[in-house]
């Protein structure tokens, strides 16, 4: 069973940047999804960014052009580079993994993932 763990959260002022990391307990197969999700106060969990088979990337409209998802296969690590952060980005951020499922899966839908981290808090102040 794949285990994932996030790190890199923290507090930053509006306009600042953070990089989140997600380490996986084992190498993943070519047919796999890795995703970043967040849960803002009073809101349901939502997809932020996802990557399929280490190459195809998908982003929520709210973060396009500001966030970048990437992976380092050798380190079994996924990253979320977050730029131009705004107070509305304040949330608990989670990484998730799914092995198998095919490229047509909705990678930004939380219910499509089987393995979740505990989350890391990101707080953006104005």
């Amino acid at each position: 069973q794949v285990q994932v763990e996030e790190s890199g959260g923290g507090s930053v002022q509006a306009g600042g940047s953070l990089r989140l990391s997600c380490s996986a307990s084992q190498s993943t197969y070519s047919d796999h999804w890795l995703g970043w999700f967040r849960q803002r106060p009073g809101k349901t969990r939502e997809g932020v960014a996802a990557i399929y088979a280490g190459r195809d990337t998908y982003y929520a409209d709210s973060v396009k052009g500001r966030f970048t998802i990437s992976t380092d296969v050798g380190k079994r690590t996924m990253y979320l580079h977050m730029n131009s952060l705004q107070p509305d980005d304040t949330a608990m951020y989670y990484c998730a993994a799914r092995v198998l499922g095919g490229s047509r899966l909705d990678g930004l839908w939380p219910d499509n993932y089987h393995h979740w981290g505990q989350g890391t808090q990101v707080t953006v102040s104005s």
Side-chain angles (χ1 to χ4, degrees):
Q1 180 167 336
V2 178
Q3 293 180 320
V4 292
E5 182 175 6
E6 310 91 342
S7 61
S11 297
V12 65
Q13 290 192 321
S17 300
L18 280 174
R19 187 185 75 168
L20 304 183
S21 300
C22 173
S23 60
S25 61
Q26 62 189 63
S27 297
T28 51
Y29 302 94
S30 58
D31 180 9
H32 71 275
W33 285 89
L34 295 171
W36 285 102
F37 297 80
R38 67 185 180 188
Q39 188 158 10
R40 293 182 278 186
K43 302 274 183 78
T44 58
R45 193 170 296 189
E46 61 180 348
V48 174
I51 185 166
Y52 174 72
R55 65 172 192 268
D56 301 332
T57 57
Y58 302 86
Y59 296 93
D61 288 342
S62 60
V63 306
K64 279 181 183 176
R66 299 190 298 125
F67 291 11
T68 302
I69 189 172
S70 64
T71 58
D72 185 326
V73 176
K75 294 182 179 179
R76 300 199 304 269
T77 303
M78 171 178 66
Y79 303 99
L80 185 67
H81 305 262
M82 304 185 295
N83 297 319
S84 302
L85 283 162
Q86 298 301 317
D88 200 40
D89 294 315
T90 294
M92 184 71 77
Y93 283 74
Y94 300 88
C95 74
R98 176 187 173 123
V99 176
L100 305 177
S103 62
R104 295 181 180 274
L105 202 71
D106 181 352
L108 294 177
W109 183 244
D111 289 353
N112 284 333
Y113 287 78
H114 301 146
H115 311 288
W116 290 85
Q118 295 299 307
T120 185
Q121 178 67 37
V122 171
T123 302
V124 185
S125 58
S126 57

